[in-house]
Amino acid sequence: MLILDNIEYKIDNFSLGPLNISIEKGEYLALFGASGSGKSTLLEIISGIRKPKKGRIILNNRDITNIAPQKRDISIVFQDYALFPNMTVFENIAYPLKIRKIDKQKMDENINELSQKLKIETLLKRYPLNLSGGEKQRVALSRAIIHKPSLLLLDEPLSALDQDLRVEAIDILRQIKSFGITTIHVSHNKEEAKELASSILYL
Amino acid sequence: MCYNKQYNLSKIIFLIAGSLVLLFILSPIIGMTLSVKAPYLFDTINDVQVRETIIRTIIISFTTTLIASFFAIPLAYILAKYTFPLKRIVETIVDIPIVIPHSAAGIAILGFISRDTPLGKLAQSIGLNLVDSPIAIGIAMAFVSVPYLISCSKDAFASIPDKIEKAAYTLGASPLKTFITISLPLAKRGIITGFVMMFARGMSEFGAIVIVAYHPMTAPVLIFDRFNSFGLEYAKPIAVILVLIAMMIFFLLRYYQGKIKDR
């Protein structure tokens, strides 16, 4: 369960909040808002990349407000996917597992299983530079969920895809939703998010 | 039509201007290389003092660059990725060695390491005399050449999108782990360029070194010494050898850079 308790953020002329949001475990929340309303900023605050000026962030009964991003167990998929260009698809997906010192055999099993589910098993040896937008998105999603984080943050994950790929990507996200990971999906397209979300919030 | 004519004219002017610059750089080097007869060159290569001096220069410059990397690369990362008060001043300080005369740099270093300074006294207490030592040469080389390593590394780090590093944090990597596994490999090309630039610049330094350590001689000091003592004809072959070594390093660098593919 995620609770944002009176979260406030301010930088230069931009301010956000106070925000009070509560998300149940396993819930898929779609977050809407006008351009510049602070949707992406809110995701960066939740993930720990930005520090709120006021308020508390509680994740599964743990106050994570002052905890470093790497210790929060929250994954984020950025709009442009931010794949590591110096690593193959396999190495990208293996990254969070290597950090957690998961043994090689278990790591291979997990990656093979997930890559089959998300239809990227043929891409594992390729580098991000040689992937299409849809492929990059699936790799970024795989990397974000391979270690089963407590919370998944999606920052407009469909915005860089054309219409055909969006339909396919929504199927993939629906599959990810079935894994039961608590998710916040930032979007400006109400239709696509409505298809996936179990709850909707306007910022 | 008129546009095409103007375009062609500007193209010709740019080509001529560019060619003149190339000619200006290449003429003295080619002229000097061709003026040295092969037997003289081989005699010089077989000269023990020349060989020892060149090897010493390469070893000191390489060691200096390697040691400096451990300090310069983190500084380059900080300058590329963080905003902090007085950042402009820090950047200016880093560039100071480029703008001051190298003989002045030598004087400054001498004032820092000579026997009556705290550092000189400390070195003497453990039996080291810094002046006229390989350490003094290394310090002088590092002083004048470290801005090249910092500048190239900084540009390389700055070109890495912040989101890639942020993604690594959220996947569980600490800032240090992110630096080692993501930032450093992605900046590798720029860092290697900076490393070679610093190494080559250190190897060719004369002004600062001649003040802090005439002996043991480095190759540029030996060229000057031979020129001063015996004249141009005796200095030229060593100069040619040093130029050839420097060019070899640059060709190797270009070859290596070509090998590292952009992912």
Side-chain angles (χ1 to χ4, degrees):
Chain A
M1 188 182 189
L2 174 76
I3 298 167
L4 302 186
D5 177 21
N6 265 319
I7 287 293
E8 277 183 56
Y9 180 77
K10 195 170 164 45
I11 186 166
D12 302 328
N13 294 324
F14 173 81
S15 65
L16 181 71
L19 289 172
N20 287 291
I21 300 170
S22 175
I23 306 164
E24 289 300 323
K25 198 168 184 179
E27 194 177 330
Y28 194 112
L29 175 82
L31 187 64
F32 293 114
S35 205
S37 61
K39 303 184 296 291
S40 299
T41 306
L42 182 60
L43 293 194
E44 293 199 349
I45 292 168
I46 296 169
S47 67
I49 293 166
R50 290 176 191 264
K51 210 171 157 45
K53 197 179 161 210
K54 273 186 190 168
R56 291 186 311 152
I57 304 167
I58 315 285
L59 181 64
N60 296 337
N61 300 320
R62 188 168 70 124
D63 187 343
I64 57 164
T65 319
N66 295 312
I67 288 177
Q70 68 268 24
K71 290 178 182 162
R72 291 193 178 200
D73 199 26
I74 297 173
S75 280
I76 184 164
V77 175
F78 290 105
Q79 207 171 343
D80 56 1
Y81 313 124
L83 295 173
F84 307 137
N86 57 319
M87 296 182 191
T88 61
V89 167
F90 182 92
E91 288 164 341
N92 263 278
I93 302 170
Y95 192 78
L97 300 180
K98 276 188 182 167
I99 298 284
R100 286 163 181 79
K101 297 189 168 68
I102 305 293
D103 76 79
K104 177 89 174 73
Q105 199 189 341
K106 179 93 178 136
M107 185 159 55
D108 289 350
E109 278 172 22
N110 288 356
I111 292 173
N112 285 333
E113 192 189 334
L114 184 63
S115 61
Q116 275 169 18
K117 280 182 184 164
L118 298 193
K119 296 174 189 150
I120 52 166
E121 68 270 34
T122 56
L123 310 175
L124 294 177
K125 287 181 182 166
R126 284 166 55 183
Y127 282 89
L129 189 69
N130 305 318
L131 301 178
S132 68
E135 289 169 341
K136 280 182 188 167
Q137 191 225 30
R138 277 179 280 158
V139 174
L141 285 167
S142 304
R143 187 181 68 176
I145 62 169
I146 188 75
H147 56 294
K148 299 183 178 70
S150 302
L151 180 65
L152 175 64
L153 307 173
L154 306 173
D155 190 4
E156 306 212 20
L158 309 177
S159 64
L161 305 177
D162 60 35
Q163 195 51 43
D164 291 344
L165 286 172
R166 276 186 188 210
V167 176
E168 200 180 305
I170 287 173
D171 276 344
I172 297 284
L173 290 175
R174 203 172 279 131
Q175 207 174 344
I176 285 171
K177 187 184 169 186
S178 73
F179 297 160
I181 301 170
T182 314
T183 305
I184 301 178
H185 178 151
V186 158
S187 176
H188 60 267
N189 184 332
K190 287 177 190 166
E191 294 311 311
E192 74 183 25
K194 274 179 187 168
E195 284 193 52
L196 295 157
S198 44
S199 51
I200 292 171
L201 186 78
Y202 292 89
L203 200 63
Chain B
M1 193 66 182
C2 181
Y3 169 79
N4 275 346
K5 261 187 183 174
Q6 277 186 354
Y7 176 74
N8 285 337
L9 184 66
S10 60
K11 213 167 152 183
I12 290 165
I13 293 169
F14 282 19
L15 266 172
I16 292 170
S19 306
L20 284 173
V21 174
L22 288 180
L23 208 64
F24 173 72
I25 295 169
L26 287 173
S27 299
I29 297 171
I30 292 172
M32 178 181 73
T33 309
L34 293 178
S35 72
V36 177
K37 291 188 178 95
Y40 281 123
L41 206 58
F42 290 120
D43 283 349
T44 310
I45 292 168
N46 287 326
D47 182 334
V48 177
Q49 191 193 13
V50 172
R51 279 221 305 259
E52 280 180 0
T53 306
I54 288 174
I55 290 167
R56 180 185 303 121
T57 310
I58 290 172
I59 289 173
I60 298 176
S61 186
F62 186 82
T63 312
T64 300
T65 309
L66 199 64
I67 295 169
S69 301
F70 288 98
F71 304 93
I73 293 171
L75 175 62
Y77 184 79
I78 289 169
L79 291 175
K81 292 290 177 184
Y82 296 101
T83 310
F84 52 89
L86 308 178
K87 184 177 172 180
R88 283 277 173 87
I89 293 174
V90 174
E91 284 172 332
T92 309
I93 292 170
V94 166
D95 286 338
I96 283 175
I98 293 176
V99 295
I100 63 169
H102 288 187
S103 49
I107 298 287
I109 295 165
L110 190 63
F112 188 61
I113 62 169
S114 60
R115 287 184 194 93
D116 51 349
T117 64
L119 191 66
K121 282 176 188 163
L122 183 74
Q124 267 197 322
S125 69
I126 53 166
L128 276 176
N129 185 15
L130 293 179
V131 180
D132 283 331
S133 76
I135 296 174
I137 296 171
I139 292 171
M141 281 179 175
F143 186 88
V144 298
S145 61
V146 78
Y148 296 95
L149 176 58
I150 296 172
S151 171
C152 290
S153 306
K154 189 178 110 181
D155 290 348
F157 286 129
S159 70
I160 302 170
D162 288 344
K163 277 191 180 165
I164 287 183
E165 289 169 327
K166 287 177 183 173
Y169 300 152
T170 63
L171 292 170
S174 65
L176 184 64
K177 188 91 182 173
T178 303
F179 177 75
I180 293 166
T181 57
I182 309 291
S183 317
L184 215 47
L186 287 177
K188 185 168 68 178
R189 241 178 119 148
I191 292 171
I192 291 171
T193 304
F195 189 96
V196 175
M197 294 274 282
M198 180 178 172
F199 166 65
R201 185 65 201 84
M203 208 176 79
S204 57
E205 175 55 20
F206 170 74
I209 292 174
V210 81
I211 288 170
V212 296
Y214 198 95
H215 292 282
M217 276 189 198
T218 59
V221 177
L222 182 66
I223 294 170
F224 172 75
D225 187 70
R226 293 271 169 107
F227 174 69
N228 229 9
S229 309
F230 308 109
L232 187 62
E233 289 311 306
Y234 287 86
K236 263 189 198 170
I238 314 172
V240 169
I241 292 167
L242 206 61
V243 166
L244 290 177
I245 290 171
M247 282 169 74
M248 218 164 66
I249 291 166
F250 270 100
F251 283 129
L252 277 174
L253 171 70
R254 291 276 178 257
Y255 175 75
Y256 183 74
Q257 281 184 326
K259 283 260 198 191
I260 305 173
K261 287 179 191 165
D262 284 322
R263 298 291 181 202

